[in-house]
Amino acid sequence: MLDDFFPVRLNTIRPDEAITFDLYLKLTTRYVHYIHCNEELEGERQKKLKSHGVRKVFIKTADEDAYLSYLESGLSVLKNSNLDIASKGSIAHDSLITAAENAERILETESGFNKQKKQFEKVSEFLSTEKGALKSILASAGVSMDNNHHAATVSSLCLAVAAKAGLEDKTEIFELGIAALLHDIGKNRLKFNYMKPWAEFTPAEQKQYKNHPQDGADMLAGKPYINPRILGLIAAHEEKGEGRGYPEKVNLFKKPLTYQILSMVNAFDHFCFEENLLAAQAIDPFFEKNGQFYDESLISVLATVLT
Ligand SMILES: [Fe+2]
Ligand SMILES: [Fe+2]
């Protein structure tokens, strides 16, 4: 049964260390057992898989809790002073992509929700205590090529900006991170190719697209752990300045700081994608175009964390 498995990034499987679940590979129509629980994926085998273009491996849904605990304990290496910063950056980013890929389901249960919270705490701590942490995450990420990748990058940028902007409330930071992971989930409802240039959208498609923030909030509204503050952030992530965004044209300056952070960081990552620029190159042209939509102090914070 296809539903019995879920994908995880190969990079989140730590080589030469016993795993706590069974691992499967997907062949065209079926899953084959690859590594047993309590056995190791040797580094050489992992490299070979990567060289064959394998990016994802599969785990049984029943093992999801074991995998999340494994992922969370793996993030302890972010504190390991012997590990180089580039490896830490890619571990942090890959674990966020995996979280984005599975967020809707993970956040259904209390234990999944709590593990996600711990993951954010560890990534936040890495970002606020280690010099060059964000750069290493962004270097591992490159330019966002799909929704999950984008969600992971927006999430780590939000956490970095929140830390530098002086946000201290852990709950507020966690809710910002969650909202960032889920912010574009409403796009899953769109039945057309929304990656095409805006000029090629029909008026009906434009209308549907502009409702994706509210669609996303509506899709998540019944989930037990997604509270109204998270929904509010998701619904307003495309709002800009004094009523210059969509769908409600709210004045972003009158909203909590977290709203501005998510909107700014989201617009920034989309800009990097559209212009095919790496973050450090994009900061000046982005603010020439969008500077009036955000607090000057936040703009400086984004510039500081990126350079
Ligand atoms: Fe969006
Ligand atoms: Fe987005």
Side-chain angles (χ1 to χ4, degrees):
M1 295 265 288
L2 287 178
D3 290 349
D4 287 344
F5 294 87
F6 70 97
V8 305
R9 317 269 308 173
L10 178 59
N11 277 346
T12 63
I13 306 299
R14 303 187 287 280
D16 305 314
E17 185 184 318
I19 54 174
T20 52
F21 37 80
D22 290 312
L23 206 61
Y24 294 78
L25 292 181
K26 190 179 179 186
L27 301 184
T28 34
T29 55
R30 65 197 173 92
Y31 294 91
V32 291
H33 199 215
Y34 187 59
I35 309 273
H36 281 279
C37 180
N38 294 325
E39 289 180 356
E40 297 171 1
L41 170 62
E42 296 95 357
E44 280 311 306
R45 276 170 99 188
Q46 191 183 46
K47 270 190 205 153
K48 219 171 183 176
L49 285 176
K50 283 186 197 169
S51 72
H52 284 97
V54 176
R55 294 286 174 270
K56 287 180 184 176
V57 286
F58 293 81
I59 290 177
K60 282 209 159 173
T61 308
D63 280 339
E64 181 157 31
D65 236 28
Y67 172 71
L68 292 176
S69 299
Y70 167 88
L71 202 61
E72 194 223 306
S73 71
L75 284 176
S76 307
V77 300
L78 296 181
K79 276 186 168 175
N80 177 346
S81 53
N82 296 325
L83 192 67
D84 62 283
I85 186 117
S87 306
K88 290 186 195 176
S90 81
I91 288 168
H93 191 253
D94 277 333
S95 69
L96 285 175
I97 294 189
T98 301
E101 282 167 345
N102 299 293
E104 239 189 306
R105 201 180 56 250
I106 290 173
L107 299 172
E108 293 260 343
T109 65
E110 189 175 8
S111 97
F113 194 80
N114 287 335
K115 285 188 179 105
Q116 186 59 56
K117 200 169 187 170
K118 285 195 182 137
Q119 183 191 34
F120 277 128
E121 279 168 10
K122 285 181 177 167
V123 175
S124 278
E125 199 186 332
F126 172 56
L127 284 164
S128 56
T129 54
E130 193 143 352
K131 210 172 171 285
L134 182 69
K135 271 194 220 163
S136 74
I137 291 180
L138 294 178
S140 151
V143 176
S144 294
M145 296 313 285
D146 65 37
N147 252 352
N148 292 320
H149 196 146
H150 166 64
T153 301
V154 170
S155 201
S156 46
L157 270 170
C158 276
L159 295 178
V161 169
K164 262 270 183 307
L167 252 73
E168 281 172 359
D169 183 330
K170 281 194 173 169
T171 305
E172 205 179 6
I173 293 173
F174 169 62
E175 289 170 353
L176 174 62
I178 289 284
L181 270 192
L182 296 168
H183 76 275
D184 272 337
I185 210 160
K187 286 185 182 175
N188 295 348
R189 280 193 178 173
L190 299 173
K191 300 277 183 283
F192 58 91
N193 169 24
Y194 56 79
M195 300 298 277
K196 63 187 175 182
W198 186 248
E200 291 172 22
F201 280 51
T202 66
E205 286 172 346
Q206 288 187 0
K207 200 173 162 212
Q208 277 176 43
Y209 184 87
K210 286 195 166 184
N211 208 43
H212 79 264
Q214 190 55 51
D215 281 341
D218 291 346
M219 280 163 73
L220 297 163
K223 309 252 180 205
Y225 301 99
I226 307 289
N227 65 38
R229 289 186 301 273
I230 299 174
L231 295 177
L233 279 161
I234 292 171
H237 78 264
E238 301 279 5
E239 303 290 357
K240 284 181 184 178
E242 295 179 23
R244 302 284 299 279
Y246 59 83
E248 295 294 329
K249 298 194 184 307
V250 298
N251 184 346
L252 203 55
F253 295 111
K254 293 195 170 156
K255 291 282 183 184
L257 195 61
T258 46
Y259 279 65
Q260 272 199 62
I261 296 176
L262 178 57
S263 166
M264 175 181 76
V265 163
N266 171 55
F268 180 68
D269 194 54
H270 280 292
F271 182 83
C272 292
F273 171 75
E274 280 156 19
E275 306 290 326
N276 196 23
L277 290 173
L278 289 172
Q281 307 164 313
I283 190 91
D284 288 345
F286 174 74
F287 283 117
E288 263 166 45
K289 248 176 131 176
N290 297 279
Q292 77 273 26
F293 301 138
Y294 307 101
D295 244 45
E296 240 175 78
S297 60
L298 269 192
I299 295 171
S300 336
V301 169
L302 184 62
T304 314
V305 298
L306 288 173
T307 47

